[in-house]
């Protein structure tokens, strides 16, 4: 039955601060179009790094410091086996993905109250652009359920030998061919772009590479920087084209890395590149992905150091667009809130707080990056957080496994 949903609602309200302590950014992007770019496999560790004297991501390095950009530098992906689809799911629903399988496949028929549906009710045209086949990750089914109006997929693009490699249509061509569709949408639109080029195994035809490969012991990592650079160039090119097409000024841009691209199997190469040991602490820190919100004309952009995660995207975007959260059930919180619940949970039960990082049963002190030393019989400072995290993940799972939103009235 639906009795548990009330318990979950109570938990969320308790965790949420009653007072509105948010910085007043409510509605600063009201009535704008939204271009949300889910940037395949992009991790923070390439930012501000060089290969043989050349920046890996020169565009993003400047963009994050731009006066119109709000940059969350400690933003974590929270995905599991569902990879890109998990990341989409978290952002759209402010629910956690499952610890095994992909919700997009296993629970595509559930009742949700997702971002595209909400935005649609507010007069937005919600759409997705992704040049892969429609059924990959069961997207065709899920998108309909989540309230998307249109899915521009592979069939809407011209894919040739010249403009494709690896997983398919290369991102530069993808953006260019998306422009007419984007322009013809009724405004305001909420358009999600999912990129493809910077995907494992990160192979790029040599003539398309602008920087050298790395020279670590992992070929995957060595190639990763070249496709990361390609992505950087393609994002810059897309913005330039949107300016030319008159679609820049009145749009809010969101760039988000979907999940890691370099797995822990490449830790020793990673440690060669970063020049430090990849401990459990460092492994968790490597789960940070870009989160940049760009609002042309805003002028007060800055870097936020607070810890945030994909789970926070839905309430944050609604806040910026000036849409009141009425009876929402989100596990995430507005990232501009100054009194947040204090942890970011990763799907494997690892978590980050202001002072600690917990992973693989080890509690690390953030300032020393070393495991916390606990006297015999004393409780680890991570213990109370651990309890909260497992409660929260459990509640989210219950909603999905029990399809509990069937019993909840979002309009009440
Ligand atoms: C596939 C693309 C990549 O369409 O989104 O998916 P991933 O393997 O990263 O989950
Ligand atoms: Mn992906």
């Amino acid at each position: 039955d639906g009795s548990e949903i009330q318990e979950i609602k109570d938990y969320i309200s308790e965790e949420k601060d009653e007072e509105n302590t948010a910085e007043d950014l409510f509605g600063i992007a009201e009535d704008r179009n939204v271009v949300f770019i889910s940037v395949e496999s992009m991790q923070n560790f390439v930012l501000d790094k060089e290969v043989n004297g050349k920046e890996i991501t020169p565009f993003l390095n400047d963009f994050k410091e731009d006066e119109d950009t709000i940059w969350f530098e400690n933003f974590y992906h929270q995905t599991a086996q569902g990879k890109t689809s998990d990341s989409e799911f978290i952002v759209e629903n402010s629910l956690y993905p499952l610890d095994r399988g992909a919700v997009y496949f296993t629970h595509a028929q559930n009742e949700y109250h997702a971002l595209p549906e909400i935005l649609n009710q507010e007069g937005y045209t919600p759409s997705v652009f992704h040049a892969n086949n429609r059924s990959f990750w069961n997207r065709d089914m899920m998108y309909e359920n989540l309230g998307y109006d249109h899915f521009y997929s592979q069939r809407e693009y011209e894919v040739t030998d010249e403009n494709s490699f690896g997983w398919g249509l290369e991102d530069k061509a993808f953006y260019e061919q998306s422009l007419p569709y984007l322009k013809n949408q009724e405004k305001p639109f909420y358009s999600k772009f999912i990129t493809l080029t910077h995907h494992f195994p990160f192979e790029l035809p040599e003539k398309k590479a602008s920087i050298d490969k790395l020279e670590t012991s992992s070929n995957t990592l060595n190639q990763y920087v070249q496709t990361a650079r390609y992505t950087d160039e393609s994002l810059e090119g897309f913005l330039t084209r949107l300016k030319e097409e008159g679609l820049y000024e009145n749009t809010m841009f969101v760039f988000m890395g979907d999940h890691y691209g370099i797995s822990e199997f490449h830790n020793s190469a990673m440690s060669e590149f970063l020049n430090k040991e990849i401990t459990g602490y460092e492994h968790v820190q490597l789960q940070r992905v870009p989160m940049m919100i760009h609002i042309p004309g805003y002028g007060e952009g800055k870097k936020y150091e607070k810890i945030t995660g994909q789970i926070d995207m839905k309430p944050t975007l609604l806040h910026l667009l000036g849409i009141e959260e009425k009876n929402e059930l989100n596990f995430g919180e507005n990232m501009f809130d100054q009194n947040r619940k204090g942890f970011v949970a990763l799907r494997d039960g690892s978590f980050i707080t202001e002072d600690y990082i917990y992973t693989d049963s080890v509690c690390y002190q953030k300032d020393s990056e070393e495991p916390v030393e606990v006297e015999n019989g004393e409780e680890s400072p991570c213990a109370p957080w651990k309890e909260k995290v497992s409660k929260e993940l459990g509640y989210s799972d219950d909603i999905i496994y029990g399809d509990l939103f069937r019993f909840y009235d979002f309009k009440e």
Side-chain angles (χ1 to χ4, degrees):
D1 67 10
S3 60
E4 196 192 350
I5 196 75
Q6 189 53 44
E7 182 186 330
I8 299 174
K9 169 84 183 160
D10 292 344
Y11 162 81
I12 288 179
S13 323
E14 238 169 76
E15 285 294 317
K16 264 209 187 109
D17 183 18
E18 287 291 294
E19 272 169 89
N20 180 12
T21 57
E23 264 180 84
D24 206 13
L25 295 175
F26 186 79
I28 61 164
E30 199 173 341
D31 296 330
R32 287 189 191 236
N33 302 311
V34 180
V35 167
F36 184 105
I37 307 188
S38 173
V39 187
E40 180 59 46
S41 297
M42 190 64 90
Q43 290 172 257
N44 277 2
F45 77 87
V46 289
L47 297 175
D48 295 320
K49 288 273 189 332
E50 295 185 348
V51 181
N52 294 336
K54 283 193 178 171
E55 287 173 273
I56 300 173
T57 55
F59 167 69
L60 286 177
N61 293 348
D62 288 349
F63 187 75
K64 65 183 168 46
E65 312 290 341
D66 189 278
E67 59 174 13
D68 293 336
T69 301
I70 296 163
W71 177 38
F72 287 91
E73 68 166 353
N74 291 304
F75 177 89
Y76 295 81
H77 85 80
Q78 295 163 300
T79 65
Q81 289 170 347
K83 305 303 297 279
T84 310
S85 72
D86 276 357
S87 132
E88 296 183 52
F89 181 80
I90 305 166
V91 168
E92 280 147 350
N93 298 289
S94 200
L95 291 169
Y96 293 92
L98 298 174
D99 64 355
R100 58 178 65 200
V103 205
Y104 260 45
F105 273 116
T106 60
H107 295 82
Q109 303 306 329
N110 272 16
E111 194 149 321
Y112 294 109
H113 190 64
L115 195 56
E117 178 184 334
I118 298 168
L119 291 178
N120 199 9
Q121 284 161 4
E122 298 286 331
Y124 282 77
T125 307
S127 60
V128 184
F129 294 77
H130 181 52
N132 201 353
N133 70 63
R134 311 180 65 73
S135 56
F136 199 93
W137 284 131
N138 204 27
R139 284 181 170 118
D140 49 350
M141 306 303 276
M142 194 59 166
Y143 285 166
E144 208 174 300
N145 191 9
L146 296 175
Y148 280 107
D149 206 54
H150 198 89
F151 176 18
Y152 299 90
S153 66
Q154 199 172 43
R155 69 182 185 197
E156 267 105 342
Y157 293 85
E158 206 187 306
V159 186
T160 64
D161 284 347
E162 279 72 49
N163 69 16
S164 65
F165 55 86
W167 274 60
L169 185 65
E170 61 172 296
D171 291 348
K172 288 178 185 174
F174 164 60
Y175 290 130
E176 189 56 37
Q177 290 187 34
S178 298
L179 282 169
Y181 300 125
L182 187 67
K183 270 174 82 167
N184 286 333
Q185 297 184 114
E186 212 174 300
K187 298 185 185 64
F189 52 75
Y190 164 70
S191 294
K192 170 164 78 174
F193 288 76
I194 305 170
T195 72
L196 203 50
T197 300
H198 186 38
H199 192 288
F200 184 86
F202 312 109
E203 280 163 358
L204 191 69
E206 204 46 54
K207 61 177 191 298
K208 302 202 184 219
S210 315
I211 57 170
D212 295 337
K213 290 180 185 171
L214 290 176
E215 287 173 18
T216 70
S217 54
S218 158
N219 195 36
T220 303
L221 178 60
N222 296 350
Q223 301 186 146
Y224 179 92
V225 299
Q226 287 188 329
T227 47
R229 171 57 170 266
Y230 176 95
T231 297
D232 189 73
E233 289 166 3
S234 62
L235 286 169
E236 179 174 29
F238 188 38
L239 279 196
T240 304
R241 290 292 288 118
L242 289 171
K243 285 176 187 167
E244 290 165 1
E245 300 287 339
L247 281 173
Y248 173 75
E249 293 297 333
N250 202 32
T251 298
M252 167 167 81
F253 298 89
V254 185
F255 294 176
M256 185 195 79
D258 63 347
H259 51 72
Y260 67 80
I262 302 296
S263 74
E264 59 201 2
F265 297 112
H266 306 274
N267 272 358
S268 67
M270 188 65 97
S271 102
E272 294 162 38
F273 177 55
L274 299 178
N275 232 328
K276 54 165 100 158
E277 196 194 336
I278 311 300
T279 59
Y281 172 89
E282 199 56 46
H283 173 72
V284 169
Q285 292 299 58
L286 281 169
Q287 307 314 308
R288 287 176 295 185
V289 296
M291 169 35 54
M292 301 171 194
I293 301 172
H294 184 78
I295 306 174
Y298 173 51
E300 292 174 54
K302 62 173 178 175
K303 173 174 94 173
Y304 287 85
E305 291 175 7
K306 63 171 105 178
I307 52 166
T308 52
Q310 291 173 328
I311 198 96
D312 300 315
M313 287 312 303
K314 178 186 169 194
T316 303
L317 294 179
L318 290 175
H319 182 82
L320 292 171
L321 294 175
I323 297 166
E324 210 76 63
E325 269 194 59
K326 290 176 200 112
N327 207 23
E328 291 292 330
L329 254 184
N330 298 324
F331 285 100
E333 293 174 285
N334 172 12
M335 304 200 290
F336 299 104
D337 201 289
Q338 284 164 334
N339 195 7
R340 290 161 42 84
K341 67 179 137 199
F343 66 83
V344 173
L346 305 189
R347 184 59 253 201
D348 67 356
S350 302
F351 58 83
I352 302 97
T353 74
E354 290 303 335
D355 300 319
Y356 306 104
I357 283 184
Y358 177 87
T359 187
D360 265 346
S361 307
V362 181
C363 181
Y364 293 87
Q365 186 92 45
K366 263 176 152 181
D367 43 22
S368 67
E369 305 185 10
E370 296 290 333
V372 174
E373 298 199 21
V374 186
E375 303 277 319
N376 251 348
E378 244 180 64
E379 194 190 47
S380 157
C382 282
W385 292 106
K386 192 178 168 207
E387 212 164 292
K388 273 178 187 259
V389 166
S390 74
K391 187 171 182 181
E392 179 154 316
L393 290 172
Y395 276 150
S396 180
D397 287 346
D398 291 348
I399 290 176
I400 296 169
Y401 287 125
D403 194 5
L404 296 185
F405 283 169
R406 286 178 297 158
F407 308 110
Y408 189 75
D409 185 0
F410 288 93
K411 290 195 187 67
E412 212 168 67

